[in-house]
Amino acid sequence: QSVDVAELEGSKEQASKLCGYLNKLSGKGPLRGYKPRWFVYDPRKCYLYYFKTPQDALPLGHIEIGDACFSYDVEGDEGQFEIRTAGKEFLLKAPSRQVMHYWLQQLQQKRWEYSNTRGSGQRDSWSSPTLACPPTGLVSKDNGRKLSDSMEKVRSDFAMDTETDGGGMVGIQSARGPSAASTNTLNFSLRNFGTEIRNSMSYLRPGRGGENRRSVFYTGNSSAEEWELVDAPPKDFPEQKHHPDTHRHSFGSAFTFDFVRNSARPKRPLLREMRFGRNADTRSAENSPVECNGSKSLEMQLRLQSQQEELNRMQQEQTKLREELASQKELVRLLQQTLRTSQCDRQPVRPPNTQMEALLQEKDGQIQSLCGHMERLALEKESLQQELKGLKIKVGEINDQLGMLMETIQAKDEVIIKLSQESSEQSGNHSDAGSPPPNKDQQELDILKDSLQGYKSQNKFLNKEILELTVLRRNSESREKALEAKYTALEAKLCQVESKYLVLLQEVKTPVCSSSEQSQTREVISRLLEDALQAESPDQQEHPIFKPNTVSEYDVFGFKTVPEEEEEEEKLVAKVRALELKSLSMTDQEVSVGVKWENYLASTMNRDLVRSPELKALMRCGVPHEHRSKVWRWCVSFHVKKFRDHLAPDYYETLLNVARDKPNPASKQIELDLLRTLPNNKHYASPSAGGIQKLRNVLMAFSWRNPDIGYCQGLNRLAAIALLYLDQEDAFWSLIAIVEVFMPRDYYTKTLLGSQVDQRVFKDLMCEKLPRLHAHFEQYKVDFSLITFNWFLVVFVDSVVSDILFKIWDAFLFEGPKIIFRFALALFKYKEEEFLKLQDSTAIFKYLRYFTQTILDSRKLMNIAFMDMNPFPMRQIQNRRSFHLEKVRLELTELEAIRQTFLRERETSQEGRSFVSDDEEDN
């Protein structure tokens, strides 16, 4: 079939990620308690990471599942289980017993799978503790290990019956709601009431001063009003401000629920109405639970309110008196002005106006009396202000006492509500039964049956846990013994090699006097070469852990390390190259890069990859073998997203169906090139190899998508490299990204116009970046584009060693075609001095054909490409492409005109010729 079942199952496993909310016991002292955490399983390292929320980027910590053991107590809290690792214990709680069983089953399965793949003993490098096997691609199947059928059957016998999806509470869908675990905690057992009350009090105490509080139970006339239970607003939202008149003495709630009144129902009566207008209601309210706990505080509050009202009334009276005094003063001023006017107009011989003087005397007396009254009011005001200050101090103290009482009442109210809910549920269960409650013996029997079922489940789980832990211990012992055997074999081989080299040195040091001694020396050297080139035996291949050979037949990518058809000298050079590559992969710099990638991917465990300077720097260092599938898949998806968003999800399958049903003109050439693609790679070496059919599908689908290209030699190698780490569909889209996104138009058409343009651009860059080497080539008339043309067409496939090739592809899939120019220049820069030493065009061209195979240090090459070649703007390359594109088009037009002229001349010359027979010539 077009798509393997294994690949479909792999994609489903990636989609179904083991994650969900669990409550983790954390904290110290009185703050110790269960807190909801988002847990995500990482199959790369067998770690269980936990985050505060699903949106967090960095984890709070992790649990090593690979060497952990699990247990739970039947008589403990519901859903509570324990994970023990080396020196650490983690106590977790699931929302229900079924969810706990699901988590335990899944974690056991993940540990079992990880332990079975651990025994292969193969790692890409010492830089990473993770397995060297990527999740997808052809290289993912090299390190597979078959599981024991009998062992799997025993494990399935001990498996517990659980829901397949964890009841909808495990998986990525459980993160859609806000803090699902915190809402489920209300369904847990009510055994730790004291702890819950203390936690609630600790939430309330910090806001004792000026925060608004609201009691769970209403303390006034609540007999005629209805209340309902609603959820409190989340902590992340800002608190709503209440109107000061209607909530002057209200108190906020820090619990996850609260009693509030519906807006359509009557308003809460004010304290003034409670005191003066509703005595009967007040007396009825004294029987409420809150009145029994805080009657003194209520009486004091009522008394303070009455004193406040009295003080307000006296202040209003004082204001009125001040206004009256001001009016009297104005009247006296007017009368005095009138008196002065009358005195000026009065004749000197006239007697005084006794009536006016009497009036003035009367007003003076009134003024004196008002002044005295005003002084008395001022004294009274000062005394009232002093009394008000004292009352305010008392009100503050009483408010503090009242806050403490309300906190205690609120905590008690919460417990009462929970107990009332339990009692209502129990009463509802009894009423639904419709039968009298069972007797005491029946209840005990039911409890014993439930306990028996719980112990049976626990027994199954513990038996399976003991079985798996025993296997894990045996596996670790076998790995330890195998490593000891390997160490012993390597030590023995080292002794043999040292002894042989000592004999060789002795033979070389001693002067050769006779032909017999010369033949003996040649014989020693021949034996040493045979031992160095000795291939692996079948026994060593079956037991790789005992294999003392340092170089295997194939590398991790599937390429043959030592070719068989070559001469002995070529084989020796190939093995030396393989040894040097392996030693370079174990350097401290490689270890550092692996650790950086592990840390970066751990930080992206809870989110997708995004383009960033940090990721760009890591891509330029190369992606580790075990992470390359994931990173390549993300790069390809990023570049072709604009295409895939407008196409159907089964677009690739549709193209394959079309390719099977209709004849394709490119199919013949594709079939011819399949076995010529990568003959030195085991995945494409024979018609029955695993990569041949996948390569055929990818190329046929691409030819139907791009009929103007169809198939071009070079596309097969691009697709083959992509298939080593990607599945068929992703490899198809990687080919789309290279041809339709990265490369210019007409790059892979019949004229190869884009490829010719890039060669001219590269010559310009050689002249600019490497002027000495370019002048050297020009001096000896060496056209290096004959070699570099293939570099650009297939992105260095079959041109450099495999380790460097895939690091070039890492940066190429992230940054695009600029990487090809960078590395092409870096390769020449790496060997510039060797080229300058050659003084013959034949020697230069011969060295051009194989010099890239002698470059092994990828770190040095990448440092040249990304440091020494700067600055390297893409705009400069685009401008030069536009310039050379016009020139190449003009040249092609001229060549086409010459060709048409030649064809016409040949046709006319053929028409002018006359053919005669031999008889006619004789005649």
Side-chain angles (χ1 to χ4, degrees):
Q1 297 181 356
S2 60
V3 180
D4 292 343
V5 178
E7 291 184 358
L8 292 175
E9 292 178 353
S11 61
K12 291 180 181 178
E13 289 177 1
Q14 293 172 10
S16 60
K17 187 194 263 186
L18 179 59
C19 56
Y21 272 107
L22 290 173
N23 287 301
K24 178 179 176 294
L25 186 64
S26 58
K28 295 181 180 180
L31 299 178
R32 187 173 178 80
Y34 284 98
K35 297 180 181 178
R37 295 288 180 258
W38 177 255
F39 285 81
V40 180
Y41 175 73
D42 181 10
R44 298 178 299 108
K45 302 170 71 173
C46 199
Y47 280 4
L48 188 65
Y49 290 96
Y50 53 92
F51 303 79
K52 192 172 183 180
T53 63
Q55 291 75 30
D56 288 353
L58 296 176
L60 298 176
H62 67 273
I63 305 174
E64 297 182 11
I65 301 299
D67 298 320
C69 61
F70 316 107
S71 64
Y72 72 94
D73 188 4
V74 177
E75 298 179 355
D77 292 346
E78 183 181 3
Q80 180 176 304
F81 62 99
E82 187 178 10
I83 301 179
R84 293 175 178 266
T85 61
K88 291 184 180 180
E89 297 179 2
F90 299 90
L91 201 60
L92 307 177
K93 186 186 287 187
S96 63
R97 195 175 297 275
Q98 289 77 14
V99 178
M100 177 193 72
H101 287 165
Y102 180 82
W103 271 99
L104 289 173
Q105 289 268 59
Q106 289 295 316
L107 291 176
Q108 277 188 333
Q109 182 66 25
K110 301 298 183 185
R111 183 187 61 187
W112 178 254
E113 294 171 358
Y114 181 76
S115 65
N116 279 284
T117 54
R118 250 169 124 183
S120 62
Q122 297 182 6
R123 296 287 185 272
D124 183 25
S125 65
W126 299 102
S127 60
S128 173
T130 60
L131 294 178
C133 180
T136 57
L138 295 172
V139 295
S140 65
K141 301 177 182 180
D142 293 345
N143 297 328
R145 183 179 176 183
K146 295 182 179 180
L147 304 179
S148 172
D149 295 336
S150 59
M151 189 63 191
E152 290 295 325
K153 185 177 183 303
V154 174
R155 290 181 67 252
S156 62
D157 293 340
F158 286 120
M160 297 181 293
D161 297 330
T162 60
E163 299 181 7
T164 57
D165 59 349
M169 305 190 71
V170 181
I172 198 67
Q173 70 276 2
S174 62
R176 294 174 183 172
S179 188
S182 61
T183 58
N184 293 326
T185 52
L186 294 176
N187 300 325
F188 284 7
S189 176
L190 299 176
R191 299 188 181 188
N192 298 324
F193 281 147
T195 304
E196 293 179 3
I197 291 175
R198 284 196 298 271
N199 291 337
S200 301
M201 295 283 288
S202 65
Y203 283 124
L204 286 170
R205 281 175 189 145
R208 185 183 300 168
E211 294 182 356
N212 293 332
R213 299 186 182 89
R214 181 170 64 247
S215 176
V216 175
F217 291 111
Y218 173 51
T219 59
N221 181 19
S222 60
S223 59
E225 298 190 55
E226 298 179 3
W227 297 79
E228 56 187 6
L229 186 65
V230 299
D231 293 333
K235 296 180 180 180
D236 297 338
F237 297 153
E239 295 183 359
Q240 299 178 356
K241 296 182 179 179
H242 304 285
H243 196 275
D245 295 335
T246 56
H247 299 278
R248 182 178 298 170
H249 301 288
S250 62
F251 294 87
S253 174
F255 294 92
T256 58
F257 54 87
D258 198 1
F259 283 98
V260 298
R261 190 169 48 236
N262 199 339
S263 60
R265 300 201 173 106
K267 289 185 177 181
R268 171 175 172 173
L270 297 175
L271 291 173
R272 188 181 302 169
E273 298 173 358
M274 292 170 58
R275 181 182 180 192
F276 299 107
R278 300 187 184 182
N279 294 329
D281 295 339
T282 306
R283 285 193 298 271
S284 65
E286 291 176 357
N287 297 324
S288 65
V290 180
E291 187 68 28
C292 296
N293 288 298
S295 60
K296 292 182 180 181
S297 60
L298 285 176
E299 291 175 2
M300 181 65 71
Q301 193 171 2
L302 293 173
R303 192 187 315 150
L304 289 173
Q305 187 172 359
S306 63
Q307 291 178 357
Q308 183 72 25
E309 292 172 356
E310 186 68 24
L311 182 60
N312 292 337
R313 185 181 60 78
M314 293 179 68
Q315 288 179 349
Q316 292 175 1
E317 185 178 354
Q318 183 183 4
T319 305
K320 290 179 180 179
L321 288 174
R322 285 183 175 178
E323 291 176 357
E324 185 178 354
L325 178 61
S327 63
Q328 292 294 335
K329 284 183 177 181
E330 182 67 23
L331 180 60
V332 169
R333 187 182 63 78
L334 291 174
L335 288 174
Q336 287 177 351
Q337 186 177 0
T338 305
L339 179 60
R340 293 191 198 99
T341 306
S342 61
Q343 285 178 354
C344 292
D345 297 340
R346 187 179 58 181
Q347 297 180 1
V349 294
R350 245 178 116 178
N353 192 349
T354 57
Q355 186 178 0
M356 185 62 71
E357 290 178 359
L359 182 60
L360 289 173
Q361 289 177 1
E362 182 182 355
K363 293 300 180 182
D364 290 338
Q366 288 180 2
I367 289 171
Q368 290 178 2
S369 63
L370 287 172
C371 289
H373 186 59
M374 186 176 175
E375 291 176 358
R376 289 193 301 272
L377 287 176
L379 294 174
E380 187 176 359
K381 177 186 174 184
E382 291 179 1
S383 64
L384 288 174
Q385 286 179 347
Q386 294 293 332
E387 185 178 358
L388 180 61
K389 289 181 181 178
L391 290 175
K392 285 183 178 178
I393 294 173
K394 290 183 180 179
V395 168
E397 295 175 354
I398 291 170
N399 279 336
D400 291 339
Q401 296 177 3
L402 185 61
M404 291 294 295
L405 291 172
M406 294 304 294
E407 290 172 3
T408 307
I409 292 169
Q410 202 166 10
K412 291 181 179 179
D413 290 345
E414 184 181 340
V415 178
I416 292 170
I417 290 169
K418 290 185 179 180
L419 291 174
S420 63
Q421 288 178 349
E422 276 201 343
S423 63
S424 63
E425 290 176 0
Q426 292 176 358
S427 62
N429 293 335
H430 289 306
S431 62
D432 294 339
S435 60
N439 54 22
K440 187 175 181 181
D441 295 338
Q442 185 66 29
Q443 289 180 351
E444 291 181 355
L445 183 60
D446 292 338
I447 292 173
L448 289 175
K449 285 182 178 179
D450 293 340
S451 300
L452 178 61
Q453 188 64 30
Y455 281 115
K456 282 183 178 179
S457 299
Q458 187 191 35
N459 187 33
K460 276 188 174 182
F461 171 75
L462 291 178
N463 284 335
K464 185 180 178 183
E465 184 72 7
I466 292 170
L467 178 69
E468 291 191 1
L469 289 175
T470 303
V471 174
L472 290 176
R473 182 179 59 83
R474 289 175 181 172
N475 288 343
S476 64
E477 289 178 354
S478 62
R479 282 198 301 272
E480 184 179 358
K481 292 179 180 178
L483 289 173
E484 290 179 355
K486 185 175 182 179
Y487 170 76
T488 304
L490 288 173
E491 190 176 13
K493 186 173 182 180
L494 178 63
C495 294
Q496 292 176 3
V497 171
E498 286 184 352
S499 64
K500 291 177 182 178
Y501 275 100
L502 287 175
V503 172
L504 178 62
L505 290 174
Q506 183 67 28
E507 293 290 337
V508 172
K509 184 180 179 180
T510 305
V512 178
C513 299
S514 61
S515 59
S516 61
E517 291 179 352
Q518 290 181 355
S519 61
Q520 186 178 0
T521 303
R522 292 195 191 95
E523 186 179 354
V524 171
I525 295 175
S526 300
R527 283 202 306 269
L528 288 174
L529 289 175
E530 289 176 4
D531 292 341
L533 297 175
Q534 185 177 7
E536 298 175 353
S537 64
D539 296 336
Q540 290 175 336
Q541 293 179 359
E542 291 178 4
H543 304 283
I545 196 69
F546 295 102
K547 176 174 64 65
N549 290 12
T550 52
V551 176
S552 58
E553 184 180 1
Y554 295 96
D555 60 11
V556 293
F557 314 107
F559 290 98
K560 201 170 185 64
T561 54
V562 181
E564 296 178 354
E565 64 277 1
E566 300 290 340
E567 298 179 358
E568 184 175 306
E569 184 179 356
E570 294 294 332
K571 290 183 179 180
L572 184 61
V573 172
K575 186 155 189 178
V576 170
R577 184 188 305 128
L579 287 170
E580 189 170 351
L581 283 173
K582 189 161 188 177
S583 65
L584 288 172
S585 68
M586 298 179 182
T587 58
D588 294 339
Q589 197 168 4
E590 292 293 334
V591 172
S592 176
V593 171
V595 171
K596 288 178 182 178
W597 269 104
E598 289 293 334
N599 294 335
Y600 179 79
L601 291 177
S603 67
T604 60
M605 173 57 60
N606 217 18
R607 58 185 174 87
D608 294 331
L609 295 174
V610 293
R611 291 181 71 90
S612 63
E614 182 184 5
L615 181 58
K616 182 178 180 180
L618 286 174
M619 295 293 291
R620 288 184 169 188
C621 293
V623 183
H625 175 63
E626 62 271 18
H627 304 313
R628 190 167 277 136
S629 293
K630 176 183 178 181
V631 177
W632 280 19
R633 191 183 312 112
W634 174 83
C635 290
V636 171
S637 301
F638 177 82
H639 291 298
V640 300
K641 187 177 186 299
K642 58 183 179 182
F643 298 133
R644 301 188 75 171
D645 289 345
H646 303 290
L647 297 172
D650 59 344
Y651 177 68
Y652 176 69
E653 286 293 330
T654 305
L655 291 176
L656 287 183
N657 293 332
V658 173
R660 282 194 293 267
D661 298 338
K662 297 181 180 180
N664 191 332
S667 59
K668 183 177 180 180
Q669 188 62 42
I670 290 174
E671 292 295 330
L672 290 174
D673 286 349
L674 285 177
L675 292 178
R676 295 186 295 188
T677 302
L678 295 175
N680 59 338
N681 191 292
K682 64 180 179 181
H683 302 294
Y684 306 100
S686 64
S688 60
I692 293 296
Q693 180 60 36
K694 295 179 181 181
L695 181 61
R696 179 185 292 113
N697 292 337
V698 172
L699 295 176
M700 292 293 291
F702 178 83
S703 65
W704 278 107
R705 174 179 169 83
N706 291 278
D708 55 334
I709 297 176
Y711 171 73
C712 172
Q713 289 184 343
L715 295 178
N716 55 337
R717 296 186 179 184
L718 297 176
I721 293 298
L723 280 170
L724 291 177
Y725 283 98
L726 303 174
D727 56 22
Q728 287 187 45
E729 187 171 358
D730 289 327
F732 165 76
W733 285 109
S734 69
L735 204 58
I736 300 298
I738 295 172
V739 176
E740 300 183 22
V741 179
F742 291 164
M743 299 304 189
R745 293 184 60 184
D746 299 329
Y747 212 90
Y748 294 97
T749 55
K750 293 180 180 180
T751 60
L752 298 175
L753 178 63
S755 302
Q756 296 182 51
V757 170
D758 272 1
Q759 291 307 305
R760 301 196 180 192
V761 174
F762 181 65
K763 283 185 178 180
D764 292 346
L765 293 174
M766 279 283 290
C767 183
E768 177 186 341
K769 301 287 184 179
L770 301 173
R772 293 171 58 211
L773 186 59
H774 182 267
H776 188 69
F777 287 151
E778 290 292 327
Q779 179 184 356
Y780 291 97
K781 295 180 175 55
V782 174
D783 186 8
F784 54 83
S785 63
L786 297 175
I787 302 298
T788 59
F789 187 87
N790 195 53
W791 294 0
F792 284 74
L793 198 65
V794 297
V795 195
F796 299 101
V797 177
D798 276 347
S799 297
V800 294
V801 295
S802 57
D803 183 62
I804 294 178
L805 171 66
F806 286 95
K807 288 178 179 177
I808 293 175
W809 271 65
D810 294 336
F812 172 68
L813 291 178
F814 185 79
E815 298 187 45
K818 183 171 67 171
I819 295 300
I820 304 179
F821 290 96
R822 280 187 177 274
F823 276 95
L825 291 170
L827 289 171
F828 281 113
K829 178 67 176 177
Y830 197 104
K831 294 292 184 177
E832 182 178 17
E833 297 300 326
E834 284 76 1
F835 275 111
L836 294 176
K837 293 176 182 177
L838 300 175
Q839 302 297 324
D840 179 59
S841 59
T842 305
I844 293 174
F845 195 79
K846 183 179 179 181
Y847 189 58
L848 266 174
R849 297 182 62 182
Y850 72 89
F851 83 99
T852 54
Q853 297 292 334
T854 64
I855 298 175
L856 306 178
D857 192 349
S858 60
R859 292 295 153 205
K860 180 180 177 182
L861 180 66
M862 295 165 81
N863 187 61
I864 295 173
F866 296 116
M867 299 297 292
D868 296 351
M869 294 296 111
N870 287 334
F872 210 89
M874 187 62 191
R875 183 175 298 178
Q876 179 186 7
I877 295 176
Q878 292 174 348
N879 293 336
R880 294 189 178 184
R881 276 177 170 173
S882 301
F883 172 74
H884 288 292
L885 181 62
E886 297 299 325
K887 293 180 65 177
V888 174
R889 280 178 176 171
L890 288 174
E891 292 176 4
L892 290 177
T893 304
E894 293 176 359
L895 288 174
E896 182 65 20
I898 294 172
R899 190 176 71 87
Q900 293 295 336
T901 304
F902 173 75
L903 291 176
R904 284 194 300 269
E905 292 177 353
R906 189 174 64 176
E907 289 176 358
T908 56
S909 62
Q910 287 179 353
E911 290 176 357
R913 291 180 62 185
S914 60
F915 295 94
V916 294
S917 63
D918 295 338
D919 296 338
E920 291 176 346
E921 287 182 353
D922 294 339
N923 295 329

